[in-house]
Amino acid sequence: MMRYSIRAPHKGPALLATAVALATVAACSGGSPSGPPSPPSPGTSSGGTSTSAAPTSAPPSPTPTPTRTYPLSTAPRTVPAVRAHEAARGPGWKPAPTGGVVVAANSTALADEGRLLAGELGIPYRGAVAAGPGDVELALGAKGGAPESYTLTVRDNRVRISGPDEAGVFYGTRTLKQSVKGSGAMPEGTVTDAPAKPQRGLNLDIARKFFTAEWIEARLREMADLKLNQFGLHFSDDQGFRIASDTHPEIVSAQHLTKAEIRRILALARSLHITVVPEIDSPGHLGAVLRAYPDLQLRNVQGVPRQGAIDISKPASARLVDELLREYAALFPGGWFHVGADEYQALTVRSPEASYPQLATAARQKYGAQARVQDLAEGWLNDRAAVVRGTGKTAKAWNDGFFRGGVVHADKGIEVEYWTGKEIGARPPAEYLAEGRKVVNLNDEYLYYVLGEPNQFTYPTGRRIYEQWTPLVLRGTTPVPARYDSQILGARFAVWCDLSRSQTQAQVAEGIRMPLTALAQKVWTPTKPTLTWDQFRALAARVR
């Protein structure tokens, strides 16, 4: 996450059935149509041997017009690449004025996806009618398939996209859109596709730098075409609190998003099958909130305040944060809420118990004589996670809020968002995985775009992510053992605005474009890419 950075320099599915073949090479030289050999003349065998007494001077029968044939198709060229393509012979499909987009029977829930695709392809949307020549048909198939999976079939000048859920069908429309944009057509055959990881996305810090609703909406559309499905929104920190509040309007920064703007963002995200994950980080990173509540700010034994840290020994601190958690849990309909838990300044000193005796006393009173300040902080995390769970959501927290040892342990239901091994309290990723915890990858070595490049952060490149990183690389450059793959839920690329004036909104958008594209490839398709970086970059420019 990288805010105080005490450091040295520098929301899956099973693999697709292997029985589905990948694209094969063209069967005809040069890919040009050709006709089959003419059938033998009457009275002649296929070997050309005479079978009758007819004179050789008799005129031959007319040669029939050749029947057009096609080479075997190749897989559509998309970003991310499709997982499997069964080749077939045929002309493929191109949008034409006589065709349209329709939805199958019992699939009217796909109307929004159908209208969007029709507009993108420049053909009419005709609703729930039978598919005809030139049409694209969207269909919800039988339940039980892998979440977000789809099958896309091109045959007889028609396209059919089906899946067990709306998200899967939507991703099929992204494949069709990209193929048509890049080559003008969708190849003949069948694509069978599904993501390698269930959580794939972008994290954005709007607390330090304000981003407009329009900028955020543009990123959501970009994410959707890359089949990304999770957008983390860090809107509270020391520098600002950026969403309007009904319960505590006194904490809101002058420059902020209104709730109407948030609802508009959420409506777009929902239509694109993206879940927005809000974050209110505590017990650290609460500076903007504490400006209105200075009596709740953490102070050491000498009375010196600690930046952004709330005094977790005071009951009023929990009441304030929980009121905010409940307010924004009601605003954001998704299944997750991020509660932070990183970089609590009370734990960055040599002896937290000596420096913060009020925290040490509260820890012993609540958890017993052996409890320390670390345990009080871990209990704070568990209590905030319980509030979030009470609203029907799963809690996420940064990995340096999960401590080794102690008498209090973080609830196993909290998803670990692993970002660093450099902060005090951070542990190697294998420790979290060995405990059976579910982890999301936000490796600060590859996936952190920190404005101004402070503390020896450098802007990540798409090439480095594409060529070196995988979801198993949680910390630094070394992957964890492959046996932990199923516990790694996915990854998000993160934008942090530490030096907020270092780049404009437009510069940020351009700077993250290819890193986000590379991440999309690596969380969708688990195998090593077949394209070189230059080929991948050129493809991305054509299809997006």
Side-chain angles (χ1 to χ4, degrees), residues 302-371:
Q302 287 85 29
V304 178
R306 293 306 301 266
Q307 180 185 6
I310 200 167
D311 190 333
I312 60 177
S313 70
K314 296 182 177 182
S317 296
R319 287 196 297 270
L320 172 61
V321 172
D322 290 350
E323 285 168 358
L324 293 172
L325 290 175
R326 292 188 179 98
E327 176 180 359
Y328 292 98
L331 177 63
F332 290 86
W336 295 274
F337 204 114
H338 204 305
V339 297
D342 66 309
E343 297 179 317
Y344 187 44
Q345 295 298 287
L347 297 171
T348 63
V349 297
R350 183 184 301 273
S351 176
E353 287 71 33
S355 294
Y356 300 96
Q358 76 275 32
L359 300 184
T361 298
R364 290 190 297 269
Q365 289 175 344
K366 189 169 185 179
Y367 298 113
Q370 302 304 312

Side-chain angles (χ1 to χ4, degrees), residues 135-205:
D135 283 347
V136 178
E137 182 184 43
L138 309 183
L140 288 172
K143 299 296 181 182
E148 301 181 295
S149 66
Y150 70 91
T151 300
L152 188 160
T153 301
V154 179
R155 183 185 300 122
D156 300 330
N157 192 30
R158 302 184 192 193
V159 179
R160 178 179 170 86
I161 305 172
S162 64
D165 53 31
E166 293 175 47
V169 175
F170 176 70
Y171 295 141
T173 69
R174 302 305 86 195
T175 293
L176 179 61
K177 174 189 174 183
Q178 284 196 13
S179 183
V180 169
K181 183 173 182 180
S183 69
M186 181 72 197
E188 201 87 3
T190 300
V191 168
T192 309
D193 208 7
K197 295 297 179 182
Q199 295 187 31
R200 314 173 302 279
L202 173 66
N203 214 74
L204 178 66
D205 168 18

Side-chain angles (χ1 to χ4, degrees), residues 77-80 174 177-179 181-182 218-219 221-228 509-510 512-520 533 536-544:
R77 307 268 285 178
T78 62
V79 177
R174 302 305 86 195
K177 174 189 174 183
Q178 284 196 13
S179 183
K181 183 173 182 180
R219 302 290 77 71
R221 294 186 178 95
E222 183 178 353
M223 289 172 61
D225 280 351
L226 293 171
K227 302 183 175 79
L228 299 174
E510 180 58 30
I512 70 174
R513 180 176 173 82
M514 284 312 297
L516 193 64
T517 305
L519 175 130
W533 167 249
F536 179 80
R537 183 175 57 183
L539 174 62
R542 287 198 302 273
V543 303
R544 295 182 54 208

Side-chain angles (χ1 to χ4, degrees), residues 2 5 7-10 422 444-445 450 452-459:
M2 198 337 250
S5 290
R7 54 181 290 143
H10 243 359
K422 305 178 181 74
D444 63 352
E445 176 76 22
V450 185
E453 301 181 307
N455 297 298
Q456 300 193 18
F457 275 102
T458 57
Y459 293 130

